[in-house]
Amino acid sequence: MGDFEGWTKWLVPGFLLWKPEDPGYERPAYRDWTEEEDEPKYSPEEELALLDKQILASDGFDIDYTHFRCVFNYHLADLDSDEFAEEPTETTRDLLERLSRKALDDHNLEYGTEFEFVKVVKANFHWCCAYMFLITFEVVDPYDNLIKLFQTRVRYETDIVTEYVFCRPKPNQGVECIGVKNNDDVGKDVQNNVKKQKIGV
């Protein structure tokens, strides 16, 4: 019997949790509308269609929440909150940086690269029998010393599970990610190796 990669590889579609008119609805913390913006631009169905389009286009990493009044299963992580903190002085950013560093270390080990972690840029999350974090972070590529974007998907719940689903250079960012110092022969070998990795979900 072959190995089953599992449902954590699947891309979870968007679904509606609350509409603004529902009892108990709370305005999402990541969206602060002004009175001039109180009139909805889209119906709940149109918002959901827009969310799904963005999920499919970016594997859930790039979602513009400014259009949404409804609350969906995908959320924007507040990096400076303590929502996912594990220690009194920790922030969500601290946790996501730890997860990103480990994901990048594993990537470097697998592909023989030497990308250096810089910082977390943003993260989305949804529930998946634990939290599924979709983290975008910056790295320095030793090939040209430029900052480039990476993405990692990590399923996480404190003291229960930490599953690194994948880590990859952000697709279509307009730059090549080599990952080794500028030695033409070595660079080409690593570049070919990196291109062979599975970057889809």
Side-chain angles (χ1 to χ4, degrees):
M1 186 172 173
D3 290 337
F4 174 57
E5 287 190 349
W7 52 268
T8 59
K9 305 287 185 186
W10 303 341
L11 187 60
V12 173
F15 61 83
L16 180 66
L17 297 176
W18 293 286
K19 301 176 185 177
E21 63 269 21
D22 289 343
Y25 168 85
E26 292 184 16
R27 180 178 292 184
Y30 43 76
R31 183 67 176 113
D32 186 18
W33 299 293
T34 63
E35 285 189 20
E36 294 79 30
E37 297 175 305
D38 276 345
E39 284 299 316
K41 295 180 181 178
Y42 303 103
S43 69
E45 294 76 19
E46 289 171 329
E47 286 189 11
L48 180 57
L50 181 58
L51 173 65
D52 273 332
K53 182 178 179 182
Q54 293 180 60
I55 291 170
L56 288 172
S58 70
D59 292 332
F61 286 92
D62 297 321
I63 298 172
D64 181 359
Y65 293 92
T66 61
H67 299 296
F68 305 143
R69 295 168 185 278
C70 296
V71 177
F72 299 100
N73 55 322
Y74 279 77
H75 307 277
L76 180 65
D78 180 353
L79 300 181
D80 297 317
S81 75
D82 62 359
E83 182 176 6
F84 298 105
E86 297 178 2
E87 299 171 8
T89 60
E90 187 176 54
T91 64
T92 295
R93 183 189 308 274
D94 295 327
L95 170 64
L96 298 180
E97 285 191 353
R98 279 204 316 273
L99 297 176
S100 299
R101 286 178 187 276
K102 173 66 166 97
L104 183 62
D105 286 347
D106 291 349
H107 176 91
N108 281 335
L109 185 61
E110 181 175 357
Y111 294 103
T113 51
E114 298 174 341
F115 293 105
E116 296 178 24
F117 177 84
V118 177
K119 68 177 181 179
V120 169
V121 175
K122 63 180 178 179
N124 296 320
F125 67 92
H126 62 82
W127 182 251
C128 191
C129 295
Y131 289 103
M132 185 68 81
F133 290 112
L134 301 124
I135 310 168
T136 301
F137 60 97
E138 291 181 348
V139 303
V140 172
D141 188 339
Y143 186 78
D144 51 19
N145 290 317
L146 295 178
I147 290 179
K148 298 172 183 178
L149 294 176
F150 259 63
Q151 298 173 330
T152 186
R153 182 191 286 186
V154 184
R155 190 167 72 97
Y156 178 83
E157 184 62 54
T158 307
D159 298 327
I160 297 174
V161 64
T162 304
E163 179 183 359
Y164 294 90
V165 182
F166 67 75
C167 180
R168 68 185 185 192
K170 178 181 170 77
N172 306 314
Q173 63 180 301
V175 294
E176 286 189 291
C177 296
I178 307 299
V180 295
K181 291 183 179 170
N182 194 351
N183 174 328
D184 287 340
D185 292 334
V186 175
K188 287 176 184 174
D189 290 343
V190 174
Q191 185 177 9
N192 290 335
N193 189 25
V194 170
K195 283 180 178 177
K196 291 176 185 175
Q197 71 176 299
K198 293 181 181 178
I199 62 170
V201 189

